[in-house]
Amino acid sequence: MALADNDAAVVWPLGHLAACDVVLVNASRGARLDEVAAAFAYFGGRARFLPTT
């Protein structure tokens, strides 16, 4: 799924996902998606970060 920016990537799931859903954020740090993952952890209260290689 492509969204306009990282802010949209954080806001969109709030209205579309259930509490038991899982989101995988997989991209280079150049896209700064580590910031999106950090926002999910902050807003969700729980997150598990798994390295992808």
Side-chain angles (χ1 to χ4, degrees):
M1 163 174 288
L3 296 168
D5 56 24
N6 284 356
D7 289 338
V10 172
V11 172
W12 184 89
L14 297 176
H16 294 87
L17 299 174
C20 61
D21 288 340
V22 175
V23 175
L24 170 66
V25 178
N26 184 19
S28 68
R29 289 188 186 247
R32 303 189 69 80
L33 290 182
D34 55 320
E35 295 175 359
V36 173
F40 287 160
Y42 177 80
F43 289 115
R46 286 181 55 187
R48 188 167 299 199
F49 294 95
L50 303 173
T52 57
T53 55

